[in-house]
Amino acid sequence: MNSISAGRVHLPTRNVLACLTQRSSGRVLVVRRKYHDESFGFRKARDFTIPDYTSDQLTNRAVNAPLLRYADSLRTHGHRAASIDPLDLLRRERVAALDPIRYGLDDPARTFDIDGIIWTGEGQQEWTLENITSFLNAVYVGRIAYEYMDLPSKTERLWFAKLLESQSALEPITVINADRQKNIHALLAKSEVLDNFLQVKFPNLKRYGLEGGESMLPALDALFEAASKAGMTQLIVAMPHRGRLNLLTGLLEYNPTSLFHKIKGGCEVDESLGVSGDVLSHLVASPTLQYGEADGIKVSLLPNPSHLEAVSPVALGKARAKQYGLLKTLSSGKDNQDCMLGDKVMCVQLHGDASFTGQGVVMETLGLSGLPHFTSGGSVHIVVNNNIGYTTPASSARSSFYCSDIAKMINCPVLHVNGDSPEDVVRAVDIAFKYRNHFRKDIVIDLIVYRRWGHNELDEPAFTQPLMYEKIRSRSSVPKLYEDKLISDGVISVEAAQAVRDSYKAALNTALTDVTSYVPPPVSFEGAWKGMVWPASPAAREEKTGVSSAVLRDVGKASVHVPEEFEIHSRLNRHVKSRLRSIESGEGVDWASAEAMAFGSLMLEGCDVRIAGQDVGRGTFSHRHAMLVDQKTEGVIVPLNHAITEAKGKLELANSSLSEMAVLGFEYGASWERPDLLPIWEAQFGDFFNGAQIIIDTFIASSETKWLKQSGIVLLLPHGLDGAGPEHSSCRIERMLQLTNDSYVAQEKVNVNMHVVFPTTPAQYFHLLRRQIKRNYRKPLIVAAPKGLLRLPAASSKLTDMGPGTAFQPVLQDPLTLANPKAVQRIVLLSGKIYYDLAKERETRNLESSVALIRVEELAPFPFAALSEALTPYSDANTRLEVLWVQEEPRNQGAWEHVQERIEEVLKGLGVDGGVAYRGRKEDAVSAPGTGKLYKVQQLAVIESAFQGL
């Protein structure tokens, strides 16, 4: 399959059987139903097979069935007896399943043909039971333990068994020579030196050190090296706070002087850029590391918020977008055909044991890992397992035995490894990478370590874990234990070991001295972001977003193009005809048509568009139909991809799992990677964003201010009170507005952290989508999207509204009253769908000349200048002007509290006294009533209040 599948027609034979019947054997093999969607962005899972057992092997397995059962028991249950806990706190008991006598094997000297039972790679061999027991225990009951026998794939189980049990298992799979041992020692020793240095120099610092878990560094070093030698060019790393400073300075070439500058209160970037920065444990680096003669590999450690695990889906989305970006830049020749997802980019996710089991976003992200529109080609997960979360012991933190058990939901293999044995940690990483790179699936390394201090260095952990910390405080550190081993083995001398520590300590002292003259390096745009500017820069510009009528018509027609051999649902014929009719007439363009024109026109300009969420292909309200499904074959086409053959951009419709937080995080990660991508997340209903509030708070609303990270993410949040009840009515505009740093007074240069809009016409929506890409900077866009307006004839646009020279208007003037502003007695300011209810009522009351309805389409940044311009004709013509703000949301919700002071600031500038009065629902604990009758009464009262007294 091509690395990027075009949106071509797929007309397979009907492939909807849920099971395949093997009549010859009388067995039924149940398999997952194969779905029909192979549109652009769809990634087929890679198929792998290992040759089945030979007839001789099958015979031998039957003859020696007790031995087979014994071998499989060791593979399955060996982890229960393995020495994987440095503190030996895991409750271990005698595992009866590991006793050969249980299978009738009671003669140690008895020989067996092991062919097809144990995979030594040597074919038919005779081994004694004693040798078999010793061998299998060495493989499965050591300091690395394996859980792979529960995998449903026989191919994967055989792959593990053959890898682990080959002759190299006696001489471990990863040969660690003296040079590598010295490198491991240096990583461990320097980590310990850094922690001790910081403890002495900054004793009151919460540094979240790595003491007890230092083996994480050689683990990552081994992983980075393996990826580099496999031809990868980019690694995307997500990790929490613990050990972050050790990784930055120990592996990722972070300047210690910059670290000390930050500790002493300095900013990590140029303060003139107006950022607030973030805490020490969220620092980042993106070095290009060199391993041997392999090409350099760029390792990008992402910024993360303190909400544990929230960064994981962001990293996954960024990794996939990066791979797609690389694929797009490759030639169309053989290289592009052979390059598969995951060949060049890998996601590495580090976790804590408590958060891995406790945070629901972990489950959501794991659930995305194998989905065709979300997979990045497999992630390597490393759980730095302290067996404690803050002060909560493992027994109170999870219901499962292992913290890694959550990964079994996606049939993920798990390797448990003792963090006290750095060399075994490196071997475990090598095995994990081999699996990921072969199968392109996720794998988990449960790195079992301990935490020498409390949650931070100022905590006293013995308050709650006295026995655990009695053990910890009585033992040597991991670096010292390994150092002593190497000295004992003659690999390194005492003097050489001390020299590693002394030289690094001296370097840290020098770096600390250099803080007085340190200036953070300038920040520049590189790679895909080259040419972009900071939003507050004088070079930031807005472009006209209109498109020629010819392009609009061509794109509009292409968006509903149906090939002759393709049979769509009969009810969609009206959808197709309606769109074609509006395009032909140039009037009555609905929201879905305007959206399709925005997508298609951007695609023609080389921009990719990706919209993700539940039901986005069809649309929650059955309005979009951007993908069409053949009614006979279930083959899929995306008309914009299929019909616009000259477009360099593609549209990806990523129908997602029933997740909000992980899916939004994923799309946000993609927005960090590619400014030439229009990434959209659409909630089924606006209310459902609250499942992703952490992503909105800690990434979307604040990333630019904290980390100088721009994003063009679009959130489509269907909003509007229409009798659907309290959980299907509101996208909580008030929350979004509260999250903005919008000014209360007019400013010449506006740099709001995100844009919040409530458009009332398809043309406005069209321009907003195109504006996201046409600017030379990026901002998140929150759209209170339509529901009832999707098909409302009054809420339609003309093609000329999207033509050359047109653009988004933050305020829409009332053309009916503008001709005679002196006749206007009342100005009603509003936002969103209530405009159409008010316009209808105004017409019924014959008040078109005396009541002006002015729409505030963009709520943040507040359009001071545009609103002032819209109100000026009325303020000039009237000495006293009555101004209302009308909304259908309750008073404590909606836009009122955001707009009140800002509107009054505008009125004050126009010399209008009296301010602005509120009309709408009273304060409420819910966003909308659940009783239909009550909704109608309230809605009628809101509409009437706008005209009361006239």
Side-chain angles (χ1 to χ4, degrees), residues 394-443:
S395 58
S396 297
R398 60 179 182 264
S399 298
S400 59
F401 186 76
Y402 293 119
C403 66
S404 54
D405 286 344
I406 184 68
K408 292 180 180 178
M409 64 168 275
I410 60 166
N411 302 313
C412 182
V414 178
L415 280 60
H416 308 277
V417 60
N418 191 323
D420 256 8
S421 180
E423 293 182 18
D424 284 300
V425 171
V426 169
R427 293 185 181 107
V429 167
D430 187 56
I431 295 167
F433 178 76
K434 281 183 168 69
Y435 172 87
R436 179 271 173 198
N437 221 33
H438 189 76
F439 292 102
R440 298 298 163 84
K441 295 175 68 176
D442 286 30
I443 187 167

Short mmCIF file of all heavy atoms in Angstrom, two decimals, residues 394-443:
data_model
loop_
_atom_site.label_atom_id
_atom_site.label_comp_id
_atom_site.label_asym_id
_atom_site.label_seq_id
_atom_site.Cartn_x
_atom_site.Cartn_y
_atom_site.Cartn_z
N ALA A 394 1.11 1.29 45.97
CA ALA A 394 0.53 0.63 44.80
C ALA A 394 -0.77 -0.09 45.14
O ALA A 394 -1.70 -0.13 44.34
CB ALA A 394 1.54 -0.35 44.22
N SER A 395 -0.86 -0.64 46.34
CA SER A 395 -2.06 -1.39 46.73
C SER A 395 -3.30 -0.51 46.78
O SER A 395 -4.42 -1.01 46.66
CB SER A 395 -1.84 -2.06 48.09
OG SER A 395 -1.53 -1.09 49.08
N SER A 396 -3.10 0.79 46.95
CA SER A 396 -4.23 1.72 46.96
C SER A 396 -4.36 2.50 45.66
O SER A 396 -5.32 3.25 45.48
CB SER A 396 -4.07 2.72 48.12
OG SER A 396 -4.09 2.06 49.36
N ALA A 397 -3.40 2.33 44.76
CA ALA A 397 -3.37 3.13 43.53
C ALA A 397 -3.94 2.39 42.34
O ALA A 397 -4.26 3.02 41.33
CB ALA A 397 -1.94 3.56 43.23
N ARG A 398 -4.05 1.07 42.42
CA ARG A 398 -4.57 0.33 41.27
C ARG A 398 -5.18 -0.98 41.74
O ARG A 398 -4.82 -1.52 42.79
CB ARG A 398 -3.46 0.05 40.26
CG ARG A 398 -2.28 -0.77 40.81
CD ARG A 398 -1.23 -1.03 39.73
NE ARG A 398 -0.14 -1.84 40.19
CZ ARG A 398 1.02 -1.39 40.64
NH1 ARG A 398 1.23 -0.08 40.68
NH2 ARG A 398 1.97 -2.21 41.04
N SER A 399 -6.09 -1.48 40.94
CA SER A 399 -6.75 -2.74 41.25
C SER A 399 -6.00 -3.93 40.66
O SER A 399 -6.25 -5.07 41.05
CB SER A 399 -8.19 -2.74 40.71
OG SER A 399 -8.95 -1.73 41.33
N SER A 400 -5.11 -3.67 39.71
CA SER A 400 -4.36 -4.74 39.06
C SER A 400 -3.05 -4.99 39.80
O SER A 400 -2.61 -4.17 40.61
CB SER A 400 -4.07 -4.36 37.61
OG SER A 400 -3.33 -3.15 37.55
N PHE A 401 -2.41 -6.11 39.48
CA PHE A 401 -1.13 -6.42 40.12
C PHE A 401 -0.04 -5.50 39.58
O PHE A 401 0.71 -4.89 40.33
CB PHE A 401 -0.76 -7.89 39.88
CG PHE A 401 0.47 -8.31 40.63
CD1 PHE A 401 0.42 -8.54 42.00
CD2 PHE A 401 1.69 -8.44 39.98
CE1 PHE A 401 1.56 -8.92 42.70
CE2 PHE A 401 2.84 -8.81 40.67
CZ PHE A 401 2.76 -9.05 42.03
N TYR A 402 0.06 -5.40 38.26
CA TYR A 402 1.06 -4.54 37.64
C TYR A 402 0.43 -3.22 37.20
O TYR A 402 -0.72 -3.19 36.75
CB TYR A 402 1.67 -5.22 36.42
CG TYR A 402 2.51 -6.44 36.70
CD1 TYR A 402 2.16 -7.67 36.18
CD2 TYR A 402 3.67 -6.36 37.47
CE1 TYR A 402 2.93 -8.81 36.41
CE2 TYR A 402 4.45 -7.49 37.72
CZ TYR A 402 4.07 -8.71 37.19
OH TYR A 402 4.84 -9.82 37.41
N CYS A 403 1.22 -2.17 37.26
CA CYS A 403 0.73 -0.89 36.75
C CYS A 403 0.57 -0.93 35.24
O CYS A 403 -0.20 -0.17 34.66
CB CYS A 403 1.69 0.23 37.14
SG CYS A 403 3.32 0.13 36.39
N SER A 404 1.25 -1.84 34.58
CA SER A 404 1.21 -1.93 33.12
C SER A 404 0.01 -2.69 32.60
O SER A 404 -0.18 -2.78 31.38
CB SER A 404 2.49 -2.62 32.61
OG SER A 404 2.67 -3.87 33.27
N ASP A 405 -0.81 -3.26 33.48
CA ASP A 405 -1.90 -4.11 33.03
C ASP A 405 -2.91 -3.36 32.15
O ASP A 405 -3.61 -3.98 31.34
CB ASP A 405 -2.62 -4.74 34.22
CG ASP A 405 -1.81 -5.86 34.86
OD1 ASP A 405 -0.86 -6.33 34.20
OD2 ASP A 405 -2.11 -6.24 36.00
N ILE A 406 -2.99 -2.04 32.28
CA ILE A 406 -3.92 -1.27 31.47
C ILE A 406 -3.60 -1.44 29.99
O ILE A 406 -4.49 -1.39 29.13
CB ILE A 406 -3.88 0.23 31.88
CG1 ILE A 406 -4.91 1.05 31.11
CG2 ILE A 406 -2.50 0.81 31.66
CD1 ILE A 406 -6.32 0.75 31.43
N ALA A 407 -2.33 -1.69 29.66
CA ALA A 407 -1.93 -1.81 28.25
C ALA A 407 -2.46 -3.09 27.61
O ALA A 407 -2.47 -3.20 26.38
CB ALA A 407 -0.41 -1.75 28.14
N LYS A 408 -2.90 -4.01 28.42
CA LYS A 408 -3.41 -5.26 27.85
C LYS A 408 -4.72 -5.04 27.10
O LYS A 408 -5.14 -5.90 26.33
CB LYS A 408 -3.60 -6.30 28.96
CG LYS A 408 -2.27 -6.75 29.56
CD LYS A 408 -2.46 -7.78 30.66
CE LYS A 408 -1.11 -8.20 31.23
NZ LYS A 408 -1.24 -9.18 32.34
N MET A 409 -5.34 -3.89 27.30
CA MET A 409 -6.58 -3.60 26.57
C MET A 409 -6.33 -3.52 25.06
O MET A 409 -7.25 -3.69 24.27
CB MET A 409 -7.19 -2.30 27.05
CG MET A 409 -6.36 -1.07 26.80
SD MET A 409 -7.21 0.50 27.06
CE MET A 409 -8.00 0.72 25.48
N ILE A 410 -5.08 -3.26 24.65
CA ILE A 410 -4.78 -3.22 23.22
C ILE A 410 -3.85 -4.38 22.84
O ILE A 410 -3.16 -4.32 21.82
CB ILE A 410 -4.15 -1.88 22.80
CG1 ILE A 410 -2.85 -1.60 23.56
CG2 ILE A 410 -5.13 -0.74 22.99
CD1 ILE A 410 -2.02 -0.49 22.97
N ASN A 411 -3.84 -5.43 23.65
CA ASN A 411 -3.00 -6.60 23.38
C ASN A 411 -1.54 -6.20 23.21
O ASN A 411 -0.87 -6.56 22.24
CB ASN A 411 -3.50 -7.33 22.13
CG ASN A 411 -4.94 -7.76 22.25
OD1 ASN A 411 -5.33 -8.33 23.26
ND2 ASN A 411 -5.75 -7.49 21.24
N CYS A 412 -1.08 -5.45 24.19
CA CYS A 412 0.27 -4.90 24.15
C CYS A 412 1.21 -5.77 24.99
O CYS A 412 0.92 -6.04 26.15
CB CYS A 412 0.24 -3.47 24.71
SG CYS A 412 1.81 -2.62 24.69
N PRO A 413 2.32 -6.22 24.42
CA PRO A 413 3.28 -6.97 25.25
C PRO A 413 3.94 -6.08 26.28
O PRO A 413 4.09 -4.86 26.07
CB PRO A 413 4.29 -7.49 24.23
CG PRO A 413 4.18 -6.55 23.07
CD PRO A 413 2.77 -6.06 23.04
N VAL A 414 4.33 -6.68 27.39
CA VAL A 414 4.95 -5.94 28.49
C VAL A 414 6.24 -6.62 28.90
O VAL A 414 6.28 -7.84 29.05
CB VAL A 414 4.00 -5.85 29.71
CG1 VAL A 414 4.68 -5.11 30.86
CG2 VAL A 414 2.70 -5.16 29.33
N LEU A 415 7.27 -5.82 29.08
CA LEU A 415 8.55 -6.30 29.61
C LEU A 415 8.77 -5.64 30.95
O LEU A 415 8.82 -4.41 31.05
CB LEU A 415 9.71 -5.95 28.67
CG LEU A 415 9.95 -6.82 27.44
CD1 LEU A 415 8.75 -6.82 26.50
CD2 LEU A 415 11.19 -6.33 26.68
N HIS A 416 8.86 -6.44 32.02
CA HIS A 416 9.19 -5.92 33.34
C HIS A 416 10.69 -6.10 33.55
O HIS A 416 11.24 -7.17 33.28
CB HIS A 416 8.43 -6.69 34.43
CG HIS A 416 6.96 -6.80 34.21
ND1 HIS A 416 6.07 -5.81 34.56
CD2 HIS A 416 6.21 -7.78 33.65
CE1 HIS A 416 4.84 -6.17 34.24
NE2 HIS A 416 4.90 -7.36 33.69
N VAL A 417 11.35 -5.07 34.07
CA VAL A 417 12.79 -5.17 34.24
C VAL A 417 13.22 -4.48 35.53
O VAL A 417 12.66 -3.46 35.94
CB VAL A 417 13.53 -4.57 33.02
CG1 VAL A 417 13.19 -3.10 32.82
CG2 VAL A 417 15.03 -4.78 33.12
N ASN A 418 14.21 -5.07 36.17
CA ASN A 418 14.74 -4.59 37.44
C ASN A 418 15.65 -3.39 37.20
O ASN A 418 16.70 -3.51 36.55
CB ASN A 418 15.52 -5.73 38.11
CG ASN A 418 15.88 -5.42 39.54
OD1 ASN A 418 16.20 -4.28 39.90
ND2 ASN A 418 15.85 -6.43 40.40
N GLY A 419 15.28 -2.23 37.71
CA GLY A 419 16.05 -1.02 37.50
C GLY A 419 17.40 -1.02 38.18
O GLY A 419 18.25 -0.17 37.89
N ASP A 420 17.62 -1.96 39.09
CA ASP A 420 18.93 -2.08 39.73
C ASP A 420 19.96 -2.72 38.82
O ASP A 420 21.14 -2.77 39.16
CB ASP A 420 18.81 -2.91 41.02
CG ASP A 420 18.86 -2.05 42.26
OD1 ASP A 420 18.82 -0.82 42.12
OD2 ASP A 420 18.91 -2.59 43.37
N SER A 421 19.51 -3.24 37.68
CA SER A 421 20.40 -3.92 36.74
C SER A 421 20.40 -3.17 35.42
O SER A 421 19.67 -3.53 34.49
CB SER A 421 19.96 -5.38 36.54
OG SER A 421 20.82 -6.04 35.64
N PRO A 422 21.21 -2.12 35.29
CA PRO A 422 21.17 -1.28 34.08
C PRO A 422 21.41 -2.05 32.79
O PRO A 422 20.83 -1.71 31.76
CB PRO A 422 22.28 -0.26 34.34
CG PRO A 422 22.44 -0.21 35.82
CD PRO A 422 22.17 -1.61 36.29
N GLU A 423 22.24 -3.07 32.84
CA GLU A 423 22.50 -3.82 31.61
C GLU A 423 21.26 -4.60 31.17
O GLU A 423 20.98 -4.70 29.96
CB GLU A 423 23.70 -4.75 31.81
CG GLU A 423 25.01 -3.99 31.99
CD GLU A 423 26.21 -4.91 32.15
OE1 GLU A 423 26.10 -6.11 31.79
OE2 GLU A 423 27.26 -4.45 32.63
N ASP A 424 20.54 -5.14 32.11
CA ASP A 424 19.29 -5.82 31.74
C ASP A 424 18.26 -4.80 31.24
O ASP A 424 17.45 -5.13 30.37
CB ASP A 424 18.73 -6.59 32.94
CG ASP A 424 19.48 -7.87 33.20
OD1 ASP A 424 19.51 -8.72 32.30
OD2 ASP A 424 20.05 -8.03 34.29
N VAL A 425 18.30 -3.61 31.77
CA VAL A 425 17.41 -2.55 31.29
C VAL A 425 17.71 -2.28 29.81
O VAL A 425 16.79 -2.16 28.98
CB VAL A 425 17.56 -1.27 32.12
CG1 VAL A 425 16.81 -0.11 31.49
CG2 VAL A 425 17.07 -1.50 33.55
N VAL A 426 18.97 -2.19 29.46
CA VAL A 426 19.36 -1.95 28.07
C VAL A 426 18.90 -3.10 27.19
O VAL A 426 18.41 -2.90 26.07
CB VAL A 426 20.88 -1.75 27.98
CG1 VAL A 426 21.35 -1.77 26.53
CG2 VAL A 426 21.27 -0.43 28.64
N ARG A 427 19.03 -4.32 27.67
CA ARG A 427 18.59 -5.48 26.88
C ARG A 427 17.08 -5.46 26.67
O ARG A 427 16.58 -5.78 25.59
CB ARG A 427 19.01 -6.77 27.58
CG ARG A 427 20.52 -6.98 27.62
CD ARG A 427 20.91 -8.32 28.22
NE ARG A 427 22.36 -8.45 28.26
CZ ARG A 427 23.10 -8.38 29.36
NH1 ARG A 427 22.53 -8.20 30.53
NH2 ARG A 427 24.41 -8.50 29.28
N ALA A 428 16.36 -5.10 27.72
CA ALA A 428 14.90 -5.02 27.60
C ALA A 428 14.50 -3.99 26.55
O ALA A 428 13.57 -4.21 25.75
CB ALA A 428 14.28 -4.69 28.95
N VAL A 429 15.20 -2.86 26.55
CA VAL A 429 14.90 -1.81 25.57
C VAL A 429 15.18 -2.31 24.15
O VAL A 429 14.40 -2.05 23.22
CB VAL A 429 15.73 -0.54 25.87
CG1 VAL A 429 15.68 0.43 24.70
CG2 VAL A 429 15.21 0.13 27.13
N ASP A 430 16.26 -3.05 23.99
CA ASP A 430 16.60 -3.57 22.67
C ASP A 430 15.50 -4.51 22.16
O ASP A 430 15.10 -4.45 20.99
CB ASP A 430 17.94 -4.29 22.73
CG ASP A 430 18.42 -4.71 21.36
OD1 ASP A 430 18.54 -3.84 20.47
OD2 ASP A 430 18.67 -5.91 21.16
N ILE A 431 15.00 -5.37 23.02
CA ILE A 431 13.92 -6.28 22.64
C ILE A 431 12.67 -5.49 22.29
O ILE A 431 11.99 -5.77 21.30
CB ILE A 431 13.65 -7.28 23.78
CG1 ILE A 431 14.86 -8.18 24.00
CG2 ILE A 431 12.40 -8.11 23.50
CD1 ILE A 431 14.80 -8.97 25.30
N ALA A 432 12.36 -4.51 23.13
CA ALA A 432 11.15 -3.71 22.90
C ALA A 432 11.23 -2.99 21.56
O ALA A 432 10.24 -2.94 20.81
CB ALA A 432 10.97 -2.70 24.03
N PHE A 433 12.37 -2.42 21.25
CA PHE A 433 12.49 -1.71 19.97
C PHE A 433 12.37 -2.66 18.81
O PHE A 433 11.74 -2.34 17.79
CB PHE A 433 13.80 -0.95 19.89
CG PHE A 433 13.98 -0.24 18.58
CD1 PHE A 433 13.27 0.93 18.32
CD2 PHE A 433 14.80 -0.75 17.58
CE1 PHE A 433 13.40 1.58 17.09
CE2 PHE A 433 14.92 -0.12 16.36
CZ PHE A 433 14.22 1.05 16.11
N LYS A 434 12.98 -3.85 18.92
CA LYS A 434 12.88 -4.83 17.85
C LYS A 434 11.41 -5.17 17.58
O LYS A 434 10.99 -5.27 16.42
CB LYS A 434 13.65 -6.10 18.21
CG LYS A 434 15.16 -6.02 18.03
CD LYS A 434 15.80 -7.37 18.36
CE LYS A 434 17.27 -7.42 17.90
NZ LYS A 434 18.15 -6.55 18.66
N TYR A 435 10.64 -5.34 18.64
CA TYR A 435 9.21 -5.66 18.47
C TYR A 435 8.49 -4.49 17.80
O TYR A 435 7.76 -4.69 16.82
CB TYR A 435 8.57 -5.97 19.82
CG TYR A 435 7.06 -6.12 19.75
CD1 TYR A 435 6.48 -7.33 19.43
CD2 TYR A 435 6.22 -5.03 19.98
CE1 TYR A 435 5.10 -7.47 19.34
CE2 TYR A 435 4.85 -5.14 19.88
CZ TYR A 435 4.29 -6.36 19.57
OH TYR A 435 2.92 -6.48 19.47
N ARG A 436 8.69 -3.31 18.34
CA ARG A 436 7.99 -2.15 17.77
C ARG A 436 8.34 -1.96 16.31
O ARG A 436 7.49 -1.69 15.47
CB ARG A 436 8.35 -0.90 18.57
CG ARG A 436 7.68 0.39 18.05
CD ARG A 436 8.54 1.08 17.00
NE ARG A 436 7.84 2.20 16.38
CZ ARG A 436 8.19 2.75 15.24
NH1 ARG A 436 9.23 2.29 14.57
NH2 ARG A 436 7.50 3.76 14.74
N ASN A 437 9.61 -2.11 15.99
CA ASN A 437 10.03 -1.82 14.63
C ASN A 437 9.60 -2.92 13.66
O ASN A 437 9.44 -2.66 12.47
CB ASN A 437 11.55 -1.64 14.57
CG ASN A 437 11.94 -0.52 13.66
OD1 ASN A 437 11.21 0.47 13.54
ND2 ASN A 437 13.07 -0.64 12.99
N HIS A 438 9.38 -4.11 14.17
CA HIS A 438 8.94 -5.21 13.31
C HIS A 438 7.44 -5.17 13.07
O HIS A 438 6.97 -5.26 11.94
CB HIS A 438 9.33 -6.55 13.92
CG HIS A 438 9.11 -7.72 13.01
ND1 HIS A 438 9.95 -8.01 11.97
CD2 HIS A 438 8.14 -8.66 12.98
CE1 HIS A 438 9.51 -9.07 11.32
NE2 HIS A 438 8.41 -9.50 11.92
N PHE A 439 6.69 -4.99 14.15
CA PHE A 439 5.23 -5.07 14.05
C PHE A 439 4.56 -3.69 13.97
O PHE A 439 3.36 -3.61 13.70
CB PHE A 439 4.66 -5.84 15.25
CG PHE A 439 5.03 -7.29 15.25
CD1 PHE A 439 6.03 -7.77 16.07
CD2 PHE A 439 4.36 -8.18 14.42
CE1 PHE A 439 6.37 -9.12 16.07
CE2 PHE A 439 4.70 -9.52 14.41
CZ PHE A 439 5.71 -10.00 15.24
N ARG A 440 5.29 -2.62 14.26
CA ARG A 440 4.75 -1.27 14.26
C ARG A 440 3.56 -1.16 15.21
O ARG A 440 2.53 -0.58 14.88
CB ARG A 440 4.36 -0.83 12.84
CG ARG A 440 5.55 -0.79 11.91
CD ARG A 440 6.57 0.25 12.41
NE ARG A 440 7.87 0.06 11.81
CZ ARG A 440 8.23 0.53 10.62
NH1 ARG A 440 7.37 1.19 9.92
NH2 ARG A 440 9.44 0.34 10.17
N LYS A 441 3.75 -1.72 16.39
CA LYS A 441 2.73 -1.67 17.42
C LYS A 441 3.36 -1.19 18.72
O LYS A 441 4.58 -1.22 18.90
CB LYS A 441 2.09 -3.05 17.62
CG LYS A 441 1.33 -3.55 16.40
CD LYS A 441 0.83 -4.97 16.60
CE LYS A 441 -0.25 -5.05 17.67
NZ LYS A 441 -0.80 -6.42 17.79
N ASP A 442 2.52 -0.78 19.66
CA ASP A 442 3.00 -0.30 20.97
C ASP A 442 3.55 -1.45 21.80
O ASP A 442 3.09 -2.60 21.69
CB ASP A 442 1.86 0.37 21.73
CG ASP A 442 1.50 1.74 21.19
OD1 ASP A 442 1.67 1.96 19.98
OD2 ASP A 442 1.04 2.59 21.97
N ILE A 443 4.50 -1.11 22.65
CA ILE A 443 5.04 -2.05 23.62
C ILE A 443 5.39 -1.28 24.88
O ILE A 443 5.73 -0.09 24.82
CB ILE A 443 6.27 -2.82 23.07
CG1 ILE A 443 6.71 -3.91 24.06
CG2 ILE A 443 7.41 -1.87 22.72
CD1 ILE A 443 7.70 -4.89 23.47
#
